[in-house]
Amino acid sequence: ISKPMSAWKAWNQTPTEYFQQIEENSIYQARFTRKLYEIHRSFAEELANMLDLRGVKRLLDLGGGSGVVSFALLRKHDYLSSVVVDIESVYQTGRVIAAENKLEKRITYVAADFLKDNLPTEFDMVMLCDVGSFSEFLFRRIYDVLPQKGRLVIVDKFATSRISAPPSRLLSAFVNSLASPAQSVDYITIEVVLTRLQQAGFRDFSAIDVPHTDHLPWNIDWTMVEAQK
């Protein structure tokens, strides 16, 4: 604790890389993806109730995992279809869950790295929900594939300042500090996100808290940021 070095390094160990773990262990991947689906279902319903989808017929759900948010939106809007982009090992479980929800004909899964691979086009709205990626580079990629007046929706947990983690993520912030103490205290605020969106060309910004009814720790502190091309 007294030394500014990684706890992993102190024990001559290397932490397991998230994507490597879910790609190499199919059983872990399936259980983890379904766990996220289960714990985010009520949050997804709240988000679907507050999100205005007038004029939106095709949704691009980047890093959407099982498609839990897309499922909630599809149930609420009969005219909507969704494409979920995520790594292949995750969306295989998503397909199973989509069939369980009888939504497999209205949702499509694409295996891709949205930071490197070409993004699908011809969508009215792009969503980044609990993805944790807020680079201007990504926002410019999204801007380029959206039509004029197309919308970007970001749903995540933002810090009140760059040195204060969101309350519901204090534990993960502490764990991250053990792995990377020198880089761990630099949290993303809404102000930083809005600045990067503006630099990428977006306009007409709004930010609103997502209500929560169950008060479970993983379903609080969510904020929805919306921008238009």
Side-chain angles (χ1 to χ4, degrees), residues 121-138:
T121 59
E122 299 182 3
F123 293 91
D124 308 301
M125 176 182 286
V126 175
M127 174 171 287
L128 292 169
C129 186
D130 195 22
V131 173
S133 185
F134 312 103
S135 67
E136 182 184 341
F137 170 76
L138 174 59

Side-chain angles (χ1 to χ4, degrees), residues 148-174:
Q148 197 63 32
K149 296 187 178 181
R151 295 153 61 192
L152 169 61
V153 172
I154 304 169
V155 185
D156 220 297
K157 301 187 177 190
F158 302 103
T160 55
S161 75
R162 298 191 73 165
I163 60 172
S164 300
S168 63
R169 288 189 169 169
L170 286 174
L171 177 59
S172 61
F174 172 70

Side-chain angles (χ1 to χ4, degrees), residues 177-205:
S177 74
L178 297 178
S180 304
Q183 290 82 36
S184 60
V185 184
D186 188 11
Y187 305 109
I188 294 293
T189 66
I190 291 178
E191 289 74 21
V192 169
V193 173
L194 294 181
T195 297
R196 293 175 182 175
L197 286 169
Q198 186 175 36
Q199 291 171 340
F202 286 97
R203 56 186 177 85
D204 296 339
F205 310 110

Side-chain angles (χ1 to χ4, degrees), residues 11 13 28 57 82 93 95-96 109 113 121 146 175 178 212 217:
W11 288 91
Q13 297 181 5
Y28 172 82
K57 294 184 179 180
S82 177
T93 301
R95 281 179 167 171
V96 174
Y109 294 86
D113 181 340
T121 59
L146 276 172
V175 172
L178 297 178
H212 51 88

